[in-house]
Each structure stands twice: as structure tokens, then as C-alpha cells.
Amino acid sequence: MPMRLENYCSPEEWEKIQEFSKDKETPFLVVDLEVIRQKYQELTTCFPIAKVFYALKANPGAPVVNLLRELGSNFDIASIFELNRVLECGVEPDRISYGNTIKKAAHIKYAYDKGVRLFATDSKADLQNIAEQAPGSKIFVRILVEGGETAEWPLSRKFGCHPDMAIDLLVQAKNLGLVPYGISFHVGSQQKDIAVWDAALSKVKYMFDWMKFEEDVSLKMINMGGGFPANYISEVNPIQIYAEEILRYLHDDHGDDLPEIILEPGRSLVGESGVLVSEVVLISRKSRTDLNRWVYLDVGLFQGLIETLGEAIKYPIYTPKMDERVQEGTVVLAGPTCDSADIMYENSHYQLPLNLAVGDRLYWLTTGAYTNSYSSVEFNGFPPLTTYYLE
Ligand SMILES: *Cc1c(COP(=O)(O)O)cnc(C)c1O
């Protein structure tokens, strides 16, 4: 896999990040807010009919929230702590969706008292809690959909319910004085197969019809979740192709009269904004004839690279020595902690220059999503990943 920096980073962006990073001690994450701005504009251009609810968990940093608030985004939150973050940044409660189906009654009340009126659910117990703690709110029910096979970071199984049960919940919502508002799904993060949206939307269409003709309830909204890709090593279609296809599915099902459409992007909005700067701590071989070098870095699974678990997300990695055209060899890449799970890539056969040395910098590209938010607090004493935001 020949690594070409220009496939991941424009020369101007690289220049800016290099200049900023040069005297700082690694490891750290640099997030270029300009990239998020471009990604947001690209998405809203491709999906002019959709309302964007940024999934905060991808990067909950205040500068990211502030930027997206200014750009007009709405926010998908998973806890009252994320709720507090967006409220502190001045986001109005009618721009917030409580999208986690797993929540304490007390937290539902907290959100309701702050003005949140849009809630996800996928179970009777949670629906009951919402009816009691957040009376009159709008409800959308999350359904189970396929997609686990072709998503690099699947999100299915834990959330969502079968469409038949979702219908029961929507009927019950009405009986409990709530507003049965819509249906949501998430096809899995970094979803490479666009056709899974087609299958999910067919289920949604069936439910819209059922609710209308059998229950006399007209649902108003489809929440298509996230799943749109960021640019890692494996090839993906551009967002324009996702949008064209998905809009076609929507119009095939609903004609010209589309319901309200919500998107909840996380990874695709912020992933490409980040470069994680790390340094080689040690290079060794495990035997005299070992073909692989073990390269130990000052970042690992506990400083933001948790999505390398199972080697699921394959980040592009760059070091300036790659431009010297020296021969490259296979490496195992591991982090600095005493946990033997702290190995990023052993089976993916990453190639790095043979003259790589201790102290060299390795740049992890497309690390703006699901890195700093996942970083541990002080495992082995290592501090959480420092993040800098560039305008
Ligand atoms: C994580 C999550 C998202 C964001 O998914 P991406 O694949 O990062 O875009 C959206 N909606 C919900 C409910 C989520 O849990």
C-alpha cells in the first residue's frame, strides 16, 4: 500500500499542521477546523433536503461544536454530559436530539427541563420513562437494520428493534400522550456498501404505510443516522455518490413529497480534520531472523487509537522519510503501555522505511473522529490525548 500524503491532506493543510507542530512534544492531535467547515458544506450541498444533527461523540471539543453551531448544524447527543457541552456552547435546545436509546429516567427529566423535546427509543421501558419525564415530546423509534458485514465499525445489534415492535412502540407513544414522530436507523459506521440504506429505507417505507393505513398516524421524519465514510486506507465512494443513491431510494419510496430527513454524521464530518502526531520510542526485532520490525510509539489504543481494535480502522500513516524513496519493510505497530492489547497493527502489514529511527515522527492521518473522545484518563500514567484546534 504505497502511501501518498496528497491523497489525505492538501499541501496548504499539511504546511499549516507542520508549522504548528514542529516544536511541540508528541503525542498530540491537531484538528483543522477549516476541513470540518468544508465537509459540512459538502454534505449540505449533497443533501440539500436534510437536516444535519452532528453526532457529538465523534469529537465533542467546544471549538468543533461552536463551528458547527455557527454553520447551522443541529446536534445528536448521547448523554446529559454531551447535552451540557452543547448548551454551554450556546446551542438552543430545539436543535438537540437525545439519540441514545439507553438513558436513566433522571437524565430524561434533566434534558426535558433544559428544553429538549426530541428523543430516540427502542424499548417499552424507555418509552414509559420518556412519557413520564418528558411529556408531550416527539419520539422516533430506532429499528434494527443490516449492514454489520460491510461497516468497518459496526453499530448494529446493541441498538434498535424489529420493525413490528417499533410499530407497537409508536402506537404506544401516541397512547401515552407523546408524538409518534419518526423512525431512525444506523447502518454501521464507515459503511462501504451504499445499498444497505436501500434495504433500511424499504423497512421504513413499510412502517410509514402501516402506521398511516392501519393506525391513522402519519409519521413525519426519517433519521438516517451516520455511517458516511472518512478517507482511510481502504477505498470508499465519495459522499456525492452516497447522496445521489440515497436520494434516489428516498424518491422511489416517497415520491416528491419527502418526509423530514435527518442525518447524524460523525466520522464523515470530522475524521479528515485530524492529524495525530506521534514519535517512535523504540524499534526492535523479536529474534535474530525476525522479518518484522516492532515499532513502538508514544501513542496507542489508550491515547486515542482504540478504533484499531481488531485492526478495524486502518489509518493512513506518513513519515517524511517516505519521500526519500528508501526501501520499506513490514512493521508491527504498538503503543507505549504495559497492556499487551496495545498493538495497533500486526496483521495489516504496514510498510515503513527501513531507515526509520527512534525519535522520528509518524503522522496518523484522518484521525479527527473517535480519537480524543476515546482516550483514557491515566492508564500507566499517560495523560489523555492533547488536542489543538486550528482555525
Ligand atoms: C455514532 C452515531 C452516529 C455517528 O455515526 P458515524 O458513522 O460516525 O457518522 C450517528 N447516530 C448515532 C445514533 C450514533 O450512535
Side-chain angles (χ1 to χ4, degrees), residues 55 57 76 99 142 155 186 188-190 225-228 264-268 370:
K57 71 178 189 286
D76 168 52
R142 180 154 168 187
L155 290 170
H186 196 302
S189 200
Q190 189 74 6
F228 306 102
E264 296 176 333
R267 190 183 300 282
S268 63
Y370 303 116

Side-chain angles (χ1 to χ4, degrees), residues 129-194:
N129 283 340
I130 299 170
E132 284 162 18
Q133 309 297 335
S137 292
K138 291 177 182 169
I139 295 298
F140 58 97
V141 176
R142 180 154 168 187
I143 58 167
L144 278 167
V145 295
E146 304 303 314
E149 315 280 282
T150 45
E152 292 192 348
W153 195 261
L155 290 170
S156 33
R157 246 167 44 74
K158 180 171 172 185
F159 306 101
C161 61
H162 188 279
D164 292 342
M165 190 180 149
I167 285 172
D168 293 345
L169 291 172
L170 288 163
V171 172
Q172 206 177 10
K174 186 174 127 185
N175 296 336
L176 288 167
L178 296 161
V179 181
Y181 194 62
I183 297 165
S184 76
F185 58 82
H186 196 302
V187 294
S189 200
Q190 189 74 6
Q191 176 56 258
K192 293 165 82 169
D193 181 6
I194 305 177

